[in-house]
């Protein structure tokens, strides 16, 4: 199975996963575009595998035409603390 399958909901889940993995405060990023967030996370990534994943997501967002969309459209919520 390919990581980038062209499905918008799959893309959304991957972005959410990265936001949580990088421990980003939702309130700090909700007004950013998807492209701006992915670029910001690339600058924070410490390993090439994470950077490659982010580059791939950015390319996919550009190809699908929503790189400029605001993150608020993804309706991100803070991860539950259990």
């Amino acid at each position: 199975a390919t990581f980038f399958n062209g499905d918008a909901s799959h893309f959304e889940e991957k972005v959410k996963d990265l936001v949580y993995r990088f421990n980003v405060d939702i309130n700090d990023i909700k007004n950013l575009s998807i492209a701006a967030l992915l670029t910001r996370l690339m600058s924070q990534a410490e390993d090439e595998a994470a950077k490659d994943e982010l580059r791939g997501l950015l390319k996919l967002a550009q190809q699908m035409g929503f790189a400029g969309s605001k993150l608020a459209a993804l309706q991100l919520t803070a991860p539950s603390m259990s």
Side-chain angles (χ1 to χ4, degrees):
T2 60
F3 176 79
F4 305 113
N5 66 7
D7 176 20
S9 62
H10 178 76
F11 178 87
E12 183 176 319
E13 289 303 314
K14 285 297 178 186
V15 171
K16 288 179 182 180
D17 176 59
L18 288 164
V19 166
Y20 302 141
R21 192 177 352 155
F22 280 86
N23 198 26
V24 177
D25 185 335
I26 304 295
N27 293 316
D28 290 344
I29 62 166
K30 65 183 176 185
N31 293 319
L32 292 178
S33 68
I34 291 170
L37 170 69
L38 294 173
T39 302
R40 177 176 167 174
L41 294 179
M42 272 188 256
S43 71
Q44 295 176 4
E46 295 182 4
D47 62 77
E48 281 305 310
K51 289 179 183 181
D52 287 344
E53 183 177 5
L54 290 160
R55 282 185 202 104
L57 279 172
L58 179 57
K59 183 177 181 180
L60 181 64
Q62 291 166 337
Q63 290 172 345
M64 294 177 76
F66 54 81
S69 298
K70 297 290 182 196
L71 279 169
L74 296 182
Q75 300 177 1
L76 298 173
T77 55
S80 60
M81 305 298 281
S82 37

